[in-house]
Structure formats: structure tokens, C-alpha cells
């Protein structure tokens, strides 16, 4: 019997902090695309977030670890955290492709991030090394992907797969804002993450 080609999802993000929106999108992608695994990749230095408070990479790594540990199919990678300089998705996808060119690699983003992709570093390389899954996200329309065709061309657009996921209007910025105001973040992030943030005063 011929073994089916392995398919692995890569979920990049700042995860500042990780929340249920990220986890639901990753699990929905795993289900819909029959992925063997989803690897979460916390960014080291996010190139587009230089101006906002980003928690220490080790805190973000550990919070992400706590959030994914209970899912058999979820894993975490330090590749961006351990790499010097800004964390470019193109470098990360090239890294995983090199690691195993026989795997079908899928990069998972939300509907907001996919729309920024033309502005990302080296989009050609991104499309060469992975297919993209664009998860729906409240406040952002997946229909706008078609509009990227003018900038990117037909072929790359065919490699973007829109995916409706259960809608969770949660963002890390909103969570940081709630913490600043002393509001509860219960049920927005996994309990272990909530406790980690409180114990180590991650956001002051
Ligand atoms: P911030 O508000 O700080 O930008 P964020 O909540 O957008 O944080 P990121 O770490 O920037 O989280 O996002 C990582 C990836 O997860 C992106 O591709 C983003 O589009 C996706 N994502 C984040 N929140 C959701 C959500 N609620 N539903 C679907 N996708 C999401
Ligand atoms: Mg974001």
C-alpha cells in the first residue's frame, strides 16, 4: 500500500498571548485538511510589530506550550525564537520545506494576516514552499482574497484555501487591553495561560 503523503500545518503568530481564536483556527484547519499535525511557531522578533509591547519570547513560548500540550496533534517549534533578526515567514517555510520536501506543508493564517501577505517579505518564496489556509475571522472578509489576484497573479491565489472556522472575536491586543484595565480574561485563553500570566506578571 502506498503511504499517503504527510500533511503538516504551520501556525505562525506572535501569540502575545495565545488565545482560543488561535486554537480553534488550528484545530479546524487540521480537521478540514486532514493534517497529521499542526506546529505552532511563536515569532521571535515580529517584523511588523516593532512599535507595540511584545512579551519576552520565552514567556510567549511557554504560554503557547501550555495551550497546546493537551492536544495530541499540536506541537511547538522554537525555530523563529532561536533565529537571529526579524522573523520572516518566508525563511520559516523554507526551513520546514528543507527539513522534509516530501511533506505537504500548509501555512495557517487568519483572514486579516492573509490580506497583508503581499506586504510580507518575499511572498514568492512563501507560495513556493507551502499552501496557505486562510481561516475566517470576525471583522475580516475572506472574499477580499480574490482582490489579491491583481498583485499576486492566478497561481498563488489558487494556493490559498479559505476556511470557515467557528467565529471567535478574540484578539491578543484585546486581551492585553483587558489586563491593563484589570478585567477578566477567563474563557478567552486556556486556564493554564491565564494562571501563567498572573503568576509571572507577563503584562505588568
Ligand atoms: P494582535 O491583536 O496582537 O495582533 P492576534 O490576536 O491577531 O494578536 P496574532 O498572534 O497576531 O494574534 O495572530 C496569529 C495568527 O492567528 C494570525 O494569522 C491571525 O490572523 C490568526 N488569528 C488570531 N486570532 C484569530 C481569531 N480570533 N480567529 C481566527 N484567526 C485568528
Ligand atoms: Mg494579529
Amino acid at each position: 500500500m502506498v503511504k499517503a503523503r504527510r500533511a503538516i500545518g504551520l501556525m505562525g503568530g506572535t501569540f502575545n498571548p495565545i488565545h482560543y481564536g488561535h486554537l480553534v483556527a488550528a484545530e479546524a484547519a487540521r480537521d478540514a485538511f486532514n493534517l497529521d499535525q499542526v506546529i505552532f511557531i511563536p515569532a521571535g522578533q515580529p517584523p511588523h510589530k516593532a512599535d507595540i509591547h511584545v512579551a519576552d519570547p520565552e514567556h510567549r513560548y511557554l504560554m503557547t506550550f501550555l495551550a497546546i500540550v493537551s492536544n495530541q496533534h499540536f506541537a511547538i517549534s522554537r525555530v523563529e525564537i532561536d533565529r537571529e533578526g526579524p522573523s520572516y515567514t518566508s525563511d520559516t517555510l523554507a526551513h520546514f520545506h528543507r527539513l522534509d520536501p516530501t511533506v505537504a506543508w500548509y501555512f495557517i493564517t487568519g483572514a486579516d494576516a492573509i490580506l497583508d501577505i503581499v506586504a510580507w517579505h518575499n511572498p514568492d518564496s512563501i507560495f513556493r514552499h507551502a499552501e496557505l489556509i486562510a481561516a475566517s475571522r470576525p471583522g475580516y472578509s475572506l472574499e477580499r482574497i480574490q482582490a489579491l489576484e491583481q498583485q499576486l497573479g492566478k497561481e498563488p491565489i489558487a494556493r490559498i484555501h479559505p476556511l470557515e472556522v467557528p467565529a471567535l472575536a478574540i484578539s491578543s491586543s484585546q486581551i492585553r487591553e483587558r489586563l491593563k484595565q484589570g478585567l477578566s480574561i477567563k474563557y478567552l485563553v486556556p486556564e493554564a495561560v491565564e494562571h501563567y500570566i498572573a503568576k509571572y506578571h507577563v503584562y505588568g
Side-chain angles (χ1 to χ4, degrees):
M1 200 178 81
V2 182
K3 193 178 173 294
R5 191 176 177 209
R6 290 213 315 143
I8 300 181
L10 300 170
M11 178 87 192
T14 313
F15 304 131
N16 184 34
I18 190 159
H19 54 69
Y20 279 123
H22 300 128
L23 295 163
V24 160
E27 182 69 354
R30 188 182 74 75
D31 239 4
F33 290 83
N34 220 348
L35 306 177
D36 296 285
Q37 201 184 23
V38 176
I39 305 175
F40 286 70
I41 311 165
Q45 263 174 262
H48 55 292
K49 288 186 176 169
D51 50 335
I52 60 158
H53 171 74
V54 178
D56 186 272
E58 296 303 333
H59 276 323
R60 291 184 289 106
Y61 176 84
L62 286 171
M63 291 189 288
T64 305
F65 177 83
L66 289 172
I68 58 111
V69 71
S70 59
N71 188 321
Q72 286 256 53
H73 302 281
F74 284 180
I76 183 167
S77 164
R78 292 187 60 89
V79 66
E80 290 198 356
I81 286 182
D82 290 343
R83 195 165 59 215
E84 299 279 318
S87 297
Y88 291 119
T89 297
S90 52
D91 294 342
T92 302
L93 298 184
H95 162 86
F96 281 100
H97 179 78
R98 234 181 290 121
L99 215 59
D100 192 343
T102 69
V103 165
W105 296 102
Y106 286 87
F107 187 65
I108 305 165
T109 78
D112 58 317
I114 198 83
L115 291 175
D116 293 339
I117 212 159
V118 279
W120 288 6
H121 186 74
N122 212 343
D124 290 350
S125 160
I126 292 177
F127 285 103
R128 211 168 35 248
H129 295 126
E131 307 252 340
L132 276 78
I133 298 172
S136 56
R137 181 174 187 180
Y140 304 91
S141 167
L142 281 175
E143 281 163 24
R144 287 165 59 196
I145 291 175
Q146 277 312 321
L148 292 176
E149 192 173 305
Q150 281 206 323
Q151 285 135 291
L152 294 174
K154 263 202 166 55
E155 264 176 56
I157 294 297
R159 288 171 73 81
I160 304 178
H161 309 280
L163 175 69
E164 284 296 331
V165 307
L168 292 183
I170 306 176
S171 71
S172 301
S173 349
Q174 171 208 21
I175 289 168
R176 294 192 303 275
E177 189 53 39
R178 293 183 69 82
L179 288 165
K180 210 162 101 187
Q181 295 177 17
L183 299 171
S184 164
I185 59 163
K186 234 180 226 314
Y187 315 122
L188 300 177
V189 302
E191 209 169 316
V193 173
E194 180 198 340
H195 292 166
Y196 184 100
I197 291 171
K199 180 165 176 179
Y200 296 104
H201 310 287
V202 181
Y203 298 101

